[in-house]
Amino acid sequence: MVNRIAAGEVVERPASVVKELVENAIDAGARRIEVATAGGGLSLIRISDDGAGLGRDDLPLAVERHCTSKLDGGLDAIGTLGFRGEALASIGAVARLAITSRRRGADEGWAIAVDGGRVSAVTPAAAAPGTRVEVSDLFFATPARLKFMKSERAETAAITETVRRLAMTHPEIRFSLSGPDRTLSDFPATGEDGFAERLEQILGRDFAENSIEIDASREGVRLTGRAGLPTYNRGNAVQQYLFVNGRAVRDKQLLGALRGAYADFIGRDRHPVAALFVDLPPQSVDVNVHPAKAEVRFRDPGLVRGLVVGAVREAITGVGHRATRTGASAMTEAFARRTAMPMPPRHGVLPREPYGAPLPGPSPATGFGEAAQALLADIAGSADIRAAAPTPSAADLARPLGVARAQIHENYIVAQTADGLIVVDQHAAHERLVYERLKAALAAKAVPSQLLLVPEIVDLPADDVGRLADRAAELAELGLVLEPFGPGAVAIREVPAILDGLDAAGLVRDLADELAELDSATTLRSQLDRVAGTMACHGSVRSGRRLRPEEMDALLRDMERTPHSGQCIHGRPTYIELKLADIERLFGRR
Ligand code: ADP
Ligand code: MG
């Protein structure tokens, strides 16, 4: 009974069994670990390793509660993944457990079985060096727990996630994952220092190309790994992999620190992708907080947080030219830099070398208009300025967003108002407009779709394909028609007509992420805001489209009419305004 109660804490679901058993194999020094599952791990989990193995006398001890071979250093210096001696006993209490093992160097193997808590005698068995642990009919002895299991697919996916996390910390070990309930994954060993390669195996090339290496330390704490560029963000936090001394954790403090590091760079409802390893002396961290060891307690939490926020933020800022810096802060900062240059005498001559090169253009006598144009030309660094109508009327200038005067960098509309200027982020603004329109159409159940002449094929993990297939009917109602295309892809046949220039593949990937978070009882219709947001995000005028003067003005008028148009759907501003008075102050005229 005691074992079954303890099992409730250690063995929450099949993925927790996989985690405990793979950790045991790692602790045993394995170089190759094979994981096979069936029925989402509920019918079968089999883990084979080529580690140290167990001898005849070890086997009965191994399945006994609180029996561990790993506490030589005491609780203050835990260097192995296991130490509680609870896993095998707990698993044996709620399932059928069979262990077959042969010690390295021994010429015979032994087996033991535990069936719902009843331990069998040790018998001789044929075995390769190493250990094979088989868990079948999980929770047969505790039917109440069985009822709480999610779908087979969800359990299969959770197991995959667990193995991916464990594999990230041990590039020197070859991991494979197979079974009738999944597609085969194989992560060949990449060597002791092969962390980057292993991350690429698991997270894909995309991540490798869109992330920055992190390596920083402070007062004995070291942070390594890779942090995704702010622009490479996702719809949920699933792809945040955090490790403390080689142990995968979902620790609130660390997740919070990561969020903090990206706070100024991505919207509140988007999530960065990162794989970060914190290493510190075992005495400085308590991993014995939670039976599943998912949370840790740092002796000096402020130090760790500071290191994560500081190092990641610095890395992101360092590659500013690759990452998209957003929001008004970057803009004001850019202006502020200009004010930091030597101030011209009030009525004197402009400085000759503000950036090392002489500033061409306005003499002190020229008016604001020309000065501003020269400034814009300087920002653009090219003649890429699309000028609009020559002299706007006073009535037009009096509109809240004024009159469009130019488009620069193919994304920013510069508009003149009665008492200042406005810079509109055309992409962000359009995204909000599409979102509001789409939401209205979805609510009215009137989403016309448009047939793609050539269906777009998107490669996706099998779990995602399954989830999208399950929701195909609902998605079709929203104007998105897709179907599975083999085990690892979907074919997109129709898309919502409102979304011109749609990035359909990106949309489908993000939707798959979101479906992973929804439970099967929640309808997509009840999540209209989210779905519309995801769709709008992929179906808006991307920066880079040139607009004609009429189009620019139409966008401004549309913004004036649309609620919430001052913010894009990620919470960033869609436009910023500079009053003439502020501009004059920047030029030292006031
Ligand atoms: P813990 O890992 O916390 O010590 P477990 O119940 O997971 O507790 O395992 C009990 C003991 O069984 C371990 O301390 C270890 O000696 C032994 N053991 C378990 N799995 C393996 C394995 N795959 N290879 C070698 N020894 C193992
Ligand atoms: Mg263990």
Side-chain angles (χ1 to χ4, degrees), residues 20-21 24-25 27-28 49 51-54 61-63 67-70 82-89 101 131 133 293:
E20 293 294 336
L21 297 181
N24 280 349
D27 282 346
D49 69 58
L54 289 152
L61 292 173
V63 298
C67 245
T68 176
S69 57
K70 304 175 188 171
F83 58 84
R84 297 171 68 109
E86 267 181 346
L88 292 180
S101 193
T131 305
V133 182
K293 309 175 203 112

Side-chain angles (χ1 to χ4, degrees), residues 295-570:
E295 282 175 29
V296 293
R297 198 166 290 147
F298 296 108
R299 191 149 289 178
D300 186 349
L303 171 65
V304 177
R305 186 186 158 87
L307 178 62
V308 172
V309 175
V312 173
R313 191 175 282 173
E314 192 184 306
I316 299 171
T317 328
V319 292
H321 60 284
R322 282 170 70 200
T324 327
R325 303 208 50 193
T326 55
S329 62
M331 191 77 180
T332 18
E333 207 180 287
F335 273 109
R337 265 214 310 279
R338 285 170 183 271
T339 62
M341 65 197 192
M343 276 293 174
R346 205 141 198 220
H347 302 288
V349 201
L350 279 172
R352 289 201 49 80
E353 297 190 2
Y355 303 111
L359 184 70
S363 74
T366 50
F368 164 68
E370 282 157 83
Q373 274 208 349
L375 177 69
L376 293 175
D378 183 36
I379 296 172
S382 73
D384 174 34
I385 295 186
R386 295 173 71 81
T391 343
S393 71
D396 285 344
L397 289 175
R399 296 179 201 266
L401 295 180
V403 179
R405 301 288 278 162
Q407 182 195 29
I408 58 170
H409 286 292
E410 303 190 332
N411 184 49
Y412 298 100
I413 298 171
V414 182
Q416 184 178 345
T417 57
D419 60 350
L421 74 84
I422 280 178
V423 182
V424 175
D425 178 339
Q426 150 193 326
H427 169 64
H430 193 255
E431 191 172 275
R432 165 63 76 178
L433 297 177
V434 169
Y435 171 74
E436 295 293 339
R437 220 173 294 159
L438 197 62
K439 225 168 55 169
L442 291 176
K445 303 198 180 207
V447 191
S449 64
Q450 181 191 322
L451 192 72
L452 295 182
L453 286 179
V454 182
E456 187 163 347
I457 310 297
V458 188
D459 290 325
L460 284 169
D463 303 332
D464 285 343
V465 174
R467 274 191 284 269
L468 286 165
D470 287 351
R471 299 279 187 164
E474 282 180 89
L475 289 169
E477 263 187 59
L478 306 177
L480 186 69
V481 179
L482 47 78
E483 60 197 37
F485 190 79
V490 295
I492 308 172
R493 304 209 169 269
E494 291 175 37
V495 297
I498 295 179
L499 307 173
D500 67 0
L502 173 72
D503 161 24
L507 168 61
V508 166
R509 283 207 183 90
D510 270 15
L511 281 175
D513 274 357
E514 273 169 32
L515 292 180
E517 282 191 336
L518 286 189
D519 60 55
S520 47
T522 313
T523 61
L524 279 185
R525 202 154 262 294
S526 70
Q527 304 286 314
L528 273 194
D529 288 4
R530 270 177 76 176
V531 176
T534 308
M535 287 185 164
C537 183
H538 288 280
S540 311
V541 177
R542 293 276 158 192
S543 40
R545 207 183 114 197
R546 292 188 172 214
L547 297 183
R548 278 172 285 123
E550 316 85 79
E551 289 178 308
M552 292 186 229
D553 268 321
L555 186 72
L556 297 182
R557 302 292 83 82
D558 216 351
M559 287 174 71
E560 285 165 358
R561 275 195 303 271
T562 308
H564 318 300
S565 66
Q567 288 206 330
C568 80
I569 56 179
H570 308 305

Side-chain angles (χ1 to χ4, degrees), residues 215-277:
D215 191 348
S217 50
R218 192 183 288 179
E219 294 170 46
V221 185
R222 178 145 186 230
L223 181 74
T224 53
R226 296 191 73 85
L229 293 176
T231 38
Y232 186 73
N233 55 43
R234 304 293 302 233
N236 62 31
V238 171
Q239 299 216 30
Q240 294 176 359
Y241 298 91
L242 301 172
F243 305 89
V244 174
N245 287 353
R247 191 187 294 282
V249 295
R250 297 253 0 125
D251 186 73
K252 289 198 192 71
Q253 293 172 39
L254 284 178
L255 289 168
L258 189 62
R259 204 174 320 119
Y262 282 88
D264 291 345
F265 306 103
I266 64 181
R268 303 194 101 253
D269 54 352
R270 302 295 298 175
H271 303 266
V273 180
L276 295 174
F277 304 83

Side-chain angles (χ1 to χ4, degrees), residues 69-94:
S69 57
K70 304 175 188 171
L71 275 181
D72 292 350
L75 263 187
D76 290 336
I78 291 168
T80 50
L81 295 166
F83 58 84
R84 297 171 68 109
E86 267 181 346
L88 292 180
S90 300
I91 296 165
V94 296

